[in-house]
Amino acid sequence: MAYLQSTVTRTGFFTAKKGRLPYLLLFPGMLWLFTFFVLPIINLAGTSTQTPVASGETGQYVQTFRLANYIDAFNQARPQFARSFLYATLATLLALAISYPLAYAIAFRSGKFKNILLVLVVAPFFTSFLLRTVAWKQILGEQGFVVPALRSMHIIGQNTSLTASALAVVTGMTYNFLPFMTLPLYASLERIDPRTLEASNDLYANGITTFRKVTFPLSMPGVVAGTLLTFIPAAGDYVNAAILGNPNTTMIGNVIDSRFFNIVDYPTAASLSFMLMAAILILVTIYIRRSGTDELV
Amino acid sequence: MTTIPIPTLPVSKRISRWFGRNIIRIYAVIGFTYLFIPVFYTIAFSFNNAGKSNLIWKGFTFSNWKNPCGAPDVCNALGNSLKIGVLATFVATVLGTLIAFAIGRHAFRGRATTNLLIFLPMATPEVVLGSSLLAMFLTFHINPGFWPTVAAHVMFCISFVVVTVKARIASLDPRLEQAAMDLYANERETFRRVTLPLVMPGIAGAALLAFSLSFDDFIITNFNSGTMNTFPKFVWVSAARGIPAQANVIGSSMFLIALFVVVVGQLVNRKKAR
């Protein structure tokens, strides 16, 4: 699945035709995206600068254009912001380390099993996202096989547990967003012409040099797409932190969720959402520019 | 008779050579094991004779599979998820495919804006999409529930449909359409009998993807569904006090059904390719 990577070819006779047809094709979908994506974001910006009503009734707010809401919200949720970006970065790097060899093996070493392996690599994600996360809670828990094994090898102490920790949260995030890494990597590796690798070999490059100078640079679009598709959901996630973490591993998503539902503090939730979105968009833009793969967008 | 001595490498060297040659394969085996451990757990615990809390293995039983609706509310939640999934998939696939044809086959002004509007929902974290939609529904005094959830699901599925179908359109050989035109098919006939059938696998793949995204969505749904239960919400709520084994039965069935659909799809594709 070559998400984000397909370039538009302008061949074919349909291209030549101009007029109203393309707009008619675009209209319903674009209207939908405008109504349920653009409008809510604009509305969110409005909510983010509201303040509580004078009567002090819970959940009632009036527009006062108070920009200081952002500063207050940021100061309240600073550790969660830092953790979100730290955990998401760790999970993305781990997912890259796990997925790259896997995608490489499927693309170059699987022969006639290629399609089967590709199905198998996505298959685990057909079970529910939440069930998978709970499964990790069981795997890393006292009754799982990991803790006793590590204890008997004296890698962890007899009283150390793995659940309810930052380690468990990052493990869960790495696992849950893995297909978003593997599929784009596979798509870009699969597209590499094996003759370029042979040519590198002919020019006396050894395996490592070929990988460093030929394979990896050619797979860069997949690396960029994969890291983005992993990092973005990971940074906004709160399910892993809620199920696998403890009160000291909460992420920005947990704060937004609890502001909305437990405290009904809509302005703070809105300004946090807005800051998260802005931070991610800025990071993504810089990242895409830096890596020189503008064709992504 | 003289025997020619065959030079043999020392064992250690042979082992290291074998490793060098197979390191990627060894890694792949480890990788796949890692991928399937949680699936193994989910399926194994669907056979757990657990009672209320399904966290610890207590013994083998078929009773959960015989009675998948045994846990209170689990099938109601599943039904809602399926309804939302089917509706959202249908609308998102139609709207997304239309956009994909516009982008892939037409020249028009505003292409960059269109592409940006397709890309942005995918680059926005779910918690932002969910909370912004809920804030809007609250502003306009719309109660969260079934239809707001469907609207939200269509929104985040459209982009994925567009990129999937667009990729398929881009990979078509334009000569096939030219051939149809040469054989006196008009544009409409060419589209109906050549282009659309060729793009169909892409549309089918996009629909599958949309359904699995919708069915599995928790964060956006949790914001916009109000008191309506869905399957991921059911798991979330029961996660705190132990998930009934029936949820594992449903998760395992979804896994097997999806695997079956994909394998059948692959076989059909292979037959067509011949």
Side-chain angles (χ1 to χ4, degrees), chain A:
Chain A
M1 271 174 267
Y3 300 146
L4 313 177
Q5 290 175 11
S6 65
T7 45
V8 179
T9 51
R10 300 194 184 184
T11 46
F13 56 95
F14 279 103
T15 335
K17 206 173 53 176
K18 280 185 184 159
R20 262 185 310 177
L21 184 60
Y23 297 105
L24 289 176
L25 293 174
L26 287 171
F27 182 74
M30 286 296 154
L31 183 68
W32 201 289
L33 286 182
F34 183 80
T35 316
F36 296 108
F37 174 69
V38 179
L39 271 188
I41 297 288
I42 294 169
N43 180 65
L44 188 75
T47 309
S48 70
T49 53
Q50 291 176 351
T51 45
V53 287
S55 63
E57 203 183 326
T58 19
Q60 298 299 312
Y61 296 92
V62 283
Q63 183 58 270
T64 52
F65 299 103
R66 186 173 179 272
L67 286 172
N69 275 358
Y70 281 86
I71 298 162
D72 294 350
F74 183 74
N75 284 334
Q76 283 171 31
R78 208 182 291 182
Q80 283 84 357
F81 259 116
R83 245 176 255 141
S84 290
F85 284 93
L86 176 68
Y87 292 175
T89 309
L90 286 175
T92 306
L93 292 177
L94 278 171
L96 182 64
I98 293 167
S99 289
Y100 202 103
L102 214 51
Y104 187 93
I106 299 172
F108 293 122
R109 298 288 159 81
S110 56
K112 60 180 174 175
F113 299 114
K114 198 182 254 185
N115 281 341
I116 298 170
L117 290 180
L118 208 55
V119 170
L120 284 182
V121 94
V122 201
F125 302 92
F126 293 144
T127 59
S128 161
F129 167 46
L130 280 133
L131 282 177
R132 272 170 353 232
T133 314
V134 173
W136 275 107
K137 194 177 171 180
Q138 288 172 299
I139 295 165
L140 299 174
E142 293 296 307
Q143 261 75 30
F145 66 91
V146 181
V147 169
L150 291 179
R151 277 192 190 147
S152 66
M153 289 186 282
H154 296 286
I155 293 172
I156 58 169
Q158 294 307 311
N159 299 317
T160 323
S161 63
L162 295 177
T163 43
S165 65
L167 180 79
V169 177
V170 176
T171 307
M173 289 196 338
T174 307
Y175 183 83
N176 274 321
F177 302 120
L178 212 59
F180 295 115
M181 184 66 90
T182 314
L183 290 178
L185 279 178
Y186 167 78
S188 66
L189 282 169
E190 211 250 341
R191 224 178 287 170
I192 295 175
D193 189 338
R195 283 173 297 183
T196 55
L197 308 184
E198 283 164 26
S200 164
N201 222 357
D202 291 346
L203 294 164
Y204 303 106
N206 61 22
I208 295 166
T209 315
T210 302
F211 179 77
R212 212 163 47 82
K213 298 261 181 175
V214 183
T215 318
F216 190 72
L218 285 174
S219 68
M220 231 13 223
V223 174
V224 173
T227 44
L228 283 180
L229 287 173
T230 310
F231 181 83
I232 294 166
D237 178 71
Y238 63 86
V239 173
N240 288 289
I243 293 180
L244 298 167
N246 63 44
N248 293 321
T249 61
T250 50
M251 295 168 66
I252 197 63
N254 303 77
V255 183
I256 297 174
D257 180 62
S258 80
R259 288 283 153 177
F260 242 104
F261 291 116
N262 302 345
I263 318 178
V264 285
D265 181 358
Y266 302 132
T268 307
S271 38
L272 288 173
S273 290
F274 220 75
M275 282 188 278
L276 176 65
M277 186 183 173
I280 285 179
L281 279 181
I282 292 166
L283 281 176
V284 166
T285 315
I286 296 171
Y287 184 59
I288 292 178
R289 287 268 159 80
R290 274 279 174 94
S291 52
T293 38
D294 284 320
E295 62 181 286
L296 276 168
V297 184

Side-chain angles (χ1 to χ4, degrees), chain B residues 153-271:
Chain B
H153 282 210
V154 171
M155 180 269 297
F156 72 75
C157 288
I158 284 180
S159 301
F160 286 95
V161 173
V162 174
V163 285
T164 312
V165 178
K166 202 173 79 173
R168 179 79 193 180
I169 293 173
S171 72
L172 288 190
D173 188 342
R175 284 172 299 182
L176 292 170
E177 291 171 335
Q178 284 156 13
M181 296 289 268
D182 288 346
L183 295 165
Y184 302 105
N186 63 26
E187 261 184 34
R188 188 166 296 185
E189 277 172 339
T190 308
F191 180 79
R192 203 168 55 84
R193 306 190 49 168
V194 178
T195 317
L196 198 57
L198 285 171
V199 181
M200 222 41 194
I203 299 175
L208 266 181
L209 178 68
F211 184 81
S212 60
L213 286 173
S214 164
F215 185 83
D216 206 19
D217 178 74
F218 170 70
I219 296 181
I220 294 174
T221 311
N222 197 34
F223 273 103
N224 292 293
S225 54
T227 54
M228 180 192 58
N229 213 352
T230 66
F231 183 63
K233 264 178 94 174
F234 175 85
V235 179
W236 168 260
V237 171
S238 34
R241 46 192 166 77
I243 294 160
Q246 277 81 2
N248 288 53
V249 172
I250 291 168
S252 310
S253 319
M254 289 307 295
F255 168 75
L256 295 173
I257 292 168
L259 205 59
F260 177 77
V261 169
V262 173
V263 169
V264 168
Q266 292 252 344
L267 290 178
V268 169
N269 264 354
R270 196 174 294 172
K271 238 186 190 169

